[in-house]
Amino acid sequence: MANVRAEKAVEYKKTCNCAQAVLLAFKDEMGKSEEELLALGSGFGSGMGGMEATCGALCGAAMAAGFLNASAAPTKMMTKAMLEEFKEKAGATICGDLKGIKTKKMLCSCDDCVRHAVVALENQL
């Protein structure tokens, strides 16, 4: 069964970057405007640094966790757990590795990275 929020994020991805799509999928819970979330995630497209750094979807999930964390656990620990879950599902956390820039073998599509990031965040909330 498809995750509704994850699929909503994939729809957002059609008009923005992966980080922004994940942030927008949680906008109702964060109490931030769409414009604020788009600005917050704007520097994290293409793996922050042109595919050479952490996947933007995972960055978006980490930022959203900071807004949404109401638990006693530090957001840092939530983010670590999300990173581990994401890596297990997607095969890597670096955008260039996920897209197979050097290997020519894609490990995970952007849509699936967005899905994995949303689910990983939901699993921590």
Side-chain angles (χ1 to χ4, degrees), residues 46-48 50-56 58 83 86-87 90-102 107-108 113:
S46 297
M48 188 178 62
M51 298 187 170
E52 295 180 14
T54 304
C55 169
L58 190 52
L83 185 136
F86 183 93
K87 186 174 184 177
T93 60
I94 302 300
C95 183
D97 296 341
L98 290 161
K99 301 301 154 246
I101 300 304
K102 294 178 184 169
L107 298 176
C108 193
C113 286

Side-chain angles (χ1 to χ4, degrees), residues 12-118:
Y12 284 127
K13 173 69 181 82
K14 292 178 181 177
T15 59
C16 61
N17 72 40
C18 295
Q20 292 167 321
V22 172
L23 287 164
L24 289 173
F26 290 90
K27 71 179 176 182
D28 293 340
E29 290 81 5
M30 288 192 280
K32 301 292 178 192
S33 72
E34 190 166 315
E35 293 76 23
E36 289 172 311
L37 295 174
L38 287 169
L40 182 65
S42 65
F44 295 89
S46 297
M48 188 178 62
M51 298 187 170
E52 295 180 14
T54 304
C55 169
L58 190 52
C59 291
M63 288 184 277
F67 280 112
L68 299 170
N69 184 11
S71 73
T75 303
K76 177 181 174 181
M77 298 311 296
M78 290 175 64
T79 302
K80 181 179 181 182
M82 288 189 299
L83 185 136
E84 291 169 354
E85 179 180 339
F86 183 93
K87 186 174 184 177
E88 182 180 310
K89 290 181 179 176
T93 60
I94 302 300
C95 183
D97 296 341
L98 290 161
K99 301 301 154 246
I101 300 304
K102 294 178 184 169
T103 64
K104 306 296 184 217
K105 180 184 175 204
M106 182 185 294
L107 298 176
C108 193
S109 70
C110 287
D111 285 356
D112 283 341
C113 286
V114 166
R115 287 182 182 103
H116 294 323
V118 167

